[in-house]
């Protein structure tokens, strides 16, 4: 996914004494500006964002980016949210992009401001999330001279963006920002960055940017080759044990409706990847939920026994596949992806279909009707297979023990919240055991309601991502499940949720440990718990109150519903410090590199694998 052009480093200075408050510069726009004149490069940057239809920006002010912020002062189209840390800005923009479907925008100054964005950009790159980052830079004549707060931002970010630009001219900077915005959104979505030297943003220009367009050389495919589609449809129609594997690309392409229609029409069981959660309703009888290391036993059994897999918008990462030699060993693989680089990268595709998921699913639908007629078959041919999948669902049901004399179980907290919350509530998470419990025990029925860090696995993603999600969907309920370790990494962003008066509930599943690390140490390192347990941590309910949020402490299983409802009813950010059983681990579990069909349902079984 790399389309970068190396450039020299840049610079900028961060003014930490600047007041860190939100500047509301206007109401969300519709992609048109109130005037069509600019006088500086910075004004051209702002005009380009307005032309692109951007609405909300997340950032931290500073010296080298200050001309852009000054130009934002007069914008009637853009709203700026000042974050507590640049990493928080990048994660908020990332979540905004996931929920809204269009690029989120983050800003930072040069040097440490820009480098603090890198984790968020790498995260967005791994998960193909649309983000555009604008970074300040030292004046061009200082570049390469080790000026104050100079960093080679383009060089640093090239490996983790679709493209990183170094703006060299006030007359073209607006066009470059527009192109970066379009590129982040088109084809396989992902992050882009424009590095903005201060002399360029302060430079004079009357060049008003046009409608954002991708480069002429960038032409992502839309429809797959017709013959390849026919061949894939024939393979699927001839199968006896077909499954659909829906990845995050289904959601990125807004193809959830097409997926649902296709699966239901042909009555094919549906498995999702973790990024694909919500693409197919988990309460539907065809749903086997998500597969992989901590996926459901029935999803992993279906993958292991299928004879034909239609995989859509997935890169087959190692947490999904386990050992590639044992992944779907008997399956004929149909792989739909907009990025040719993903085809046969990890798992060999028998039928590569390169194109946009929405369009390719429509092509397949048409071709399946022809294939069914030619073979004189129907979805009834899969009836025995569907029955087998239902048997696996009963045999490997997602369950947990909850004895009366043991501490609160995290699964119960998630399960009860899912029952009490709105059907279209958005769930964000940090990374760790809490992330797995949230994805396992919440019932997802809609796309763009699951917001998490998958490929990079970024602890600290939860708190700022909930802010970005809520800004993108202000009328929807937003809950963030976090772990004590992950929460501590970006807890400062709680100040932003309070300042912006955002109605978000944070649930900290608190086991006083970096739980997933501890689980691995117990399972694979003979219980040597080095640096995975906290001898002391804050009381998060009290910490929330110090930030100006409402804090709740939860320990008694009988109080779960009451505390959740109190937090939900509070009109503003609330934090539930849920003191959970420290001995609880995440199961099912497939050991790293293992066979998906050989999963452990408890610690004893894990030791036998």
């Amino acid at each position: 996914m790399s389309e970068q052009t190396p450039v020299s480093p840049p610079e900028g200075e961060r003014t930490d004494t600047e007041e860190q408050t939100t500047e509301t510069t206007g109401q969300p726009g519709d992609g048109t500006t109130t005037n069509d004149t600019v006088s500086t490069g910075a004004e051209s940057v702002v005009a380009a964002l307005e032309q692109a239809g951007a609405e909300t920006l997340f950032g931290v002010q500073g010296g080298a980016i200050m001309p852009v912020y000054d130009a934002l002062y007069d914008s009637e189209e853009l709203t700026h949210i000042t974050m507590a840390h640049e990493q928080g800005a990048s994660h908020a923009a990332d979540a905004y992009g996931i929920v809204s479907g269009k690029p989120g925008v983050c800003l930072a100054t040069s040097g440490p401001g820009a480098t603090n964005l890198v984790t968020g950009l790498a995260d967005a790159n791994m998960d193909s999330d649309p983000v555009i980052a604008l970074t300040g830079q030292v004046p061009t004549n200082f570049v390469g001279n080790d000026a104050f707060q100079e960093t080679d931002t383009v060089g640093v970010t090239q490996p983790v963006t679709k493209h990183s630009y170094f703006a060299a001219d006030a007359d073209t900077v607006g066009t470059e920002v527009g192109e970066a915005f379009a590129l982040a959104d088109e084809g396989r979505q992902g992050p882009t960055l424009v590095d903005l030297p201060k002399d360029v943003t302060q430079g004079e220009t009357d060049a008003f940017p046009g409608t954002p367009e991708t480069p002429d050389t960038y032409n992502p495919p839309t429809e797959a080759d017709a013959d390849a589609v026919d061949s894939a449809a024939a393979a699927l129609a001839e199968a006896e044990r077909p499954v659909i594997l829906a990845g995050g690309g289904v959601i990125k392409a807004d193809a959830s409706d097409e997926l649902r229609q296709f699966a239901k029409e042909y009555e094919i069981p549906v498995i999702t990847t973790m990024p694909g959660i919500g693409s197919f309703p988990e309460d539907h009888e065809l749903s086997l939920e998500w597969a992989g290391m901590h996926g459901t036993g029935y999803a992993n059994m279906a993958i292991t026994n299928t004879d034909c897999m239609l995989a859509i918008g997935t890169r087959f990462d190692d947490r999904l596949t386990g050992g590639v030699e044992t992944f779907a060993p008997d399956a004929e693989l149909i792989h739909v992806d907009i990025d040719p680089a993903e085809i046969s990268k990890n798992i060999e595709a028998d039928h590569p279909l390169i194109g946009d998921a929405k369009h390719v699913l429509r092509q397949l639908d048409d071709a399946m009707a022809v294939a069914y007629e030619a073979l004189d078959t129907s979805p009834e041919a899969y009836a025995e297979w569907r029955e087998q999948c239902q048997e696996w669902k009963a045999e490997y049901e997602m369950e947990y023990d909850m004895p009366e004399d043991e501490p609160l179980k995290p699964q119960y907290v998630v399960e009860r919240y899912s029952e009490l919350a709105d059907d279209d509530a958005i769930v964000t998470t940090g990374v760790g055991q809490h992330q797995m419990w949230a994805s396992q025990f919440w019932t997802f029925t809609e796309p763009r309601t699951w917001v998490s860090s998958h490929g990079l696995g970024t602890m600290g993603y939860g708190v700022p991502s909930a802010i970005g999600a809520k800004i993108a969907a202000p009328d929807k309920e937003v809950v963030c499940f976090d772990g004590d370790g992950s929460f501590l990494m970006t807890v400062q962003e709680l100040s932003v949720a309070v300042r912006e008066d955002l109605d978000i509930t944070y649930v900290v599943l608190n086991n006083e440990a970096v739980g997933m690390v501890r689980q691995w140490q117990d399972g694979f390192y003979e219980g040597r718990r080095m640096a995975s347990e906290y001898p002391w941590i804050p009381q998060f309910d009290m910490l929330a109150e110090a930030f100006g949020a409402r804090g709740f402490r939860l320990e008694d299983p009988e109080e779960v519903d009451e505390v959740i409802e109190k937090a939900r009813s509070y009109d503003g950010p609330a934090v539930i410090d849920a003191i959970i059983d420290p001995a609880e681990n995440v199961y099912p579990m497939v050991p790293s590199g293992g066979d998906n069909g050989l999963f452990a349902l408890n610690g004893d079984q894990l030791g036998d694998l």
Side-chain angles (χ1 to χ4, degrees):
M1 193 170 154
S2 178
E3 307 167 58
Q4 306 100 346
T5 304
V7 232
S8 315
E11 102 168 1
E13 54 185 76
R14 171 180 181 168
T15 307
D16 292 323
T17 56
E18 290 296 312
E19 185 180 1
Q20 298 297 295
T21 57
T22 301
E23 296 94 31
T24 303
T25 56
Q27 297 303 313
D30 59 2
T32 59
T33 56
T34 53
N35 67 66
D36 58 0
T37 61
V38 296
S39 61
T40 66
E43 289 180 5
S44 186
V45 168
V46 171
L49 293 175
E50 293 174 337
Q51 289 284 88
E55 297 175 357
T56 304
L57 320 178
F58 304 89
V60 179
Q61 175 63 285
I65 195 68
M66 197 175 292
V68 176
Y69 274 87
D70 188 56
L72 279 172
Y73 186 86
D74 293 321
S75 174
E76 297 179 0
E77 302 290 329
L78 302 171
T79 299
H80 179 266
I81 307 294
T82 296
M83 301 298 288
H85 189 281
E86 291 89 355
Q87 182 182 345
S90 59
H91 290 326
D94 179 284
Y96 182 95
I98 293 172
V99 173
S100 71
K102 59 184 181 182
V105 184
C106 56
L107 296 88
T109 195
S110 63
T115 58
N116 281 343
L117 291 178
V118 171
T119 296
L121 294 176
D123 189 288
N125 190 59
M126 289 285 278
D127 288 349
S128 301
D129 295 335
V131 173
I132 174 173
L134 304 178
T135 53
Q137 185 53 275
V138 299
T140 51
N141 61 326
F142 287 172
V143 169
N145 292 333
D146 296 330
F148 177 66
Q149 291 191 332
E150 178 190 357
T151 298
D152 180 3
T153 302
V154 169
V156 168
T157 58
Q158 277 181 351
V160 294
T161 58
K162 282 183 77 172
H163 189 69
S164 290
Y165 298 77
F166 182 80
D169 193 309
D171 288 336
T172 57
V173 65
T175 299
E176 287 173 324
V177 169
E179 183 177 291
F181 194 101
L183 187 60
D185 196 31
E186 291 295 317
R188 178 176 178 171
Q189 293 179 325
T192 58
L193 178 142
V194 185
D195 203 30
L196 303 167
K198 199 168 183 178
D199 59 318
V200 171
T201 53
Q202 289 181 325
E204 294 183 1
T205 184
D206 59 2
F208 190 84
T211 303
E213 295 180 354
T214 57
D216 292 339
T217 55
Y218 186 71
N219 296 298
T222 301
E223 292 189 344
D225 177 78
D227 290 340
V229 170
D230 290 342
S231 176
L236 199 56
E238 291 172 357
E240 296 179 356
R241 305 184 304 279
V243 297
I244 296 171
L245 178 66
V250 173
I251 297 173
K252 307 294 183 190
D254 286 326
S256 296
D257 287 345
E258 284 76 10
L259 167 68
R260 294 172 188 216
Q261 186 273 330
F262 186 89
K264 292 174 185 178
E265 181 178 356
Y266 300 106
E267 299 181 43
I268 301 173
V270 178
I271 300 164
T272 74
T273 66
M274 277 192 73
I277 287 174
S279 60
F280 192 82
E282 293 182 339
D283 58 358
H284 193 279
E285 63 180 359
L286 287 173
S287 172
L288 300 177
E289 299 167 57
W290 62 275
M293 178 175 285
H294 292 293
T296 66
Y298 33 94
N300 283 327
M301 288 298 290
I303 281 179
T304 301
N305 289 277
T306 182
D307 65 351
C308 186
M309 175 184 287
L310 170 58
I312 312 164
T314 176
R315 59 189 177 86
F316 291 109
D317 78 288
D318 57 295
R319 288 298 174 96
L320 167 68
T321 64
V324 294
E325 67 283 349
T326 57
F327 181 80
D330 301 324
E332 200 166 349
L333 178 62
I334 303 163
H335 190 181
V336 179
D337 207 288
I338 199 167
D339 186 353
E342 292 300 337
I343 302 295
S344 298
K345 183 179 79 174
N346 294 325
I347 302 293
E348 190 69 26
D350 299 292
H351 302 277
L353 302 181
I354 302 170
D356 177 84
K358 179 187 285 285
H359 291 87
V360 176
L361 274 170
R362 290 173 178 172
Q363 288 180 277
L364 273 173
D365 194 10
D366 293 339
M368 281 288 283
V370 175
Y372 266 37
E373 184 176 354
L375 293 169
D376 191 24
T377 188
S378 75
E380 281 305 306
Y382 311 144
E384 187 176 336
W385 169 242
R386 289 193 296 271
E387 184 178 338
Q388 174 63 76
C389 290
Q390 291 302 315
E391 289 176 6
W392 283 325
K393 286 181 80 169
E395 183 177 358
Y396 301 114
E397 182 181 6
M398 293 296 293
E399 56 187 6
Y400 53 92
D401 295 325
M402 208 169 91
E404 292 183 4
D405 59 344
E406 290 188 9
L408 179 64
K409 299 296 182 179
Q411 302 96 323
Y412 183 68
V413 176
V414 174
E415 200 168 50
R416 289 307 305 149
Y417 209 127
S418 180
E419 289 292 325
L420 295 167
D422 298 340
D423 290 341
D424 61 353
I426 296 170
V427 176
T428 83
T429 76
V431 168
Q433 287 179 316
H434 65 276
Q435 177 190 29
M436 300 299 115
W437 289 316
S439 56
Q440 289 175 333
F441 290 95
W442 191 282
T443 301
F444 293 89
T445 60
E446 298 297 330
R448 303 192 186 280
T449 58
W450 166 249
V451 181
S452 195
S453 169
H454 303 104
L456 196 65
T458 307
M459 289 180 67
Y461 182 84
V463 181
S465 68
I467 292 170
K470 187 64 178 179
I471 295 293
D475 296 330
K476 289 190 177 182
E477 180 175 2
V478 174
V479 55
C480 171
F481 288 99
D482 222 336
D484 41 302
S486 197
F487 189 71
L488 280 170
M489 290 192 173
T490 50
V491 67
Q492 69 274 5
E493 303 302 341
L494 188 58
S495 65
V496 180
V498 172
R499 184 204 323 129
E500 299 299 322
D501 195 24
L502 301 177
D503 191 7
I504 300 169
T505 301
Y506 293 94
V507 182
V508 182
L509 298 177
N510 185 352
N511 56 10
E512 299 187 2
V514 186
M516 192 60 82
V517 172
R518 176 190 51 72
Q519 179 171 339
W520 277 57
Q521 288 173 333
D522 289 351
F524 307 112
Y525 292 87
E526 299 178 351
R528 294 186 293 274
R529 297 183 176 182
M530 176 61 188
S532 61
E533 296 177 296
Y534 296 120
W536 178 89
I537 57 172
Q539 291 180 244
F540 295 115
D541 55 330
M542 295 180 66
L543 187 61
E545 296 282 348
F547 272 102
R550 282 296 306 276
F552 300 89
R553 190 171 181 83
L554 176 59
E555 294 183 80
D556 188 343
E558 295 184 0
E559 296 179 354
V560 169
D561 284 21
E562 178 185 357
V563 171
I564 288 174
E565 289 291 42
K566 284 183 178 179
R568 292 183 68 229
S569 64
Y570 177 68
D571 188 15
V575 175
I576 300 174
D577 191 1
I579 312 303
I580 63 169
D581 187 347
E584 196 68 17
N585 284 327
V586 179
Y587 293 102
M589 182 175 184
V590 178
S592 182
D595 184 334
N596 279 27
L598 301 175
F599 47 85
L601 299 176
N602 54 55
D604 292 337
Q605 291 182 2
L606 184 63
D608 295 334
L609 295 180

